[in-house]
Structure formats: structure tokens, C-alpha cells
Amino acid sequence: MFVTITETLTTQQMNYLNALIAGEKAISSTEVMHRYQISSTTSISRSKATLIKNDILDNKADEISFQDPIYAY
């Protein structure tokens, strides 16, 4: 199931997820964006919104987490 979901994600969405999995807190910082090849802060916002809409991520109390923690593995 996770493979099927992952295959539908864009490169920017995958890069955003990789930064989350790595535990990055300041994803919109220049250093983190460069390290994970995230193109812009707009890309972060779009990726986050799409991943929440598609029930991959959850946004509770302004904290982003995986709806299914196993997905991070």
C-alpha cells in the first residue's frame, strides 16, 4: 500500500517527506532546503497541504506528523 502511495508523489513531496523523516525542524531554512533539494518555501506549503489532504500527514496543534507512523519507515 505504501509503495502505491509513494509512487504517486512528486519529487518535491518526496523531498519534503525525507526532510520530515530525518527530523528536520526548520525545513524552510536555506540549508535544509538545499540539502533536500526543495525548490522554494511555496513548494513546502504546497507539498504539506497536498500530503495532509491525501491523508499521509496530519497537522495537529500545528505539529506535522505521519498519520501512520509506519509510513516513515
Side-chain angles (χ1 to χ4, degrees):
M1 178 177 88
F2 294 134
V3 171
T4 303
I5 293 169
T6 302
E7 288 176 345
T8 66
L9 301 178
T10 67
T11 301
Q12 289 298 299
Q13 291 166 348
M14 284 300 302
N15 293 348
Y16 177 74
L17 287 178
N18 286 329
L20 284 178
I21 290 167
E24 299 290 352
K25 298 296 181 195
I27 295 177
S28 61
S29 72
T30 304
E31 178 185 330
V32 172
M33 288 174 49
H34 179 60
R35 185 179 313 130
Y36 293 94
Q37 299 177 354
I38 298 171
S39 60
S40 66
T41 55
T42 302
S43 176
I44 292 170
S45 297
R46 286 183 189 153
S47 293
K48 183 174 17 174
T50 301
L51 293 166
I52 291 169
K53 179 182 172 203
N54 292 338
D55 296 325
I56 296 170
L57 297 179
D58 217 358
N59 188 10
K60 291 183 182 175
D62 291 328
E63 185 175 325
I64 300 295
S65 62
F66 285 88
Q67 279 200 2
D68 186 340
I70 300 299
Y71 188 86
Y73 292 103

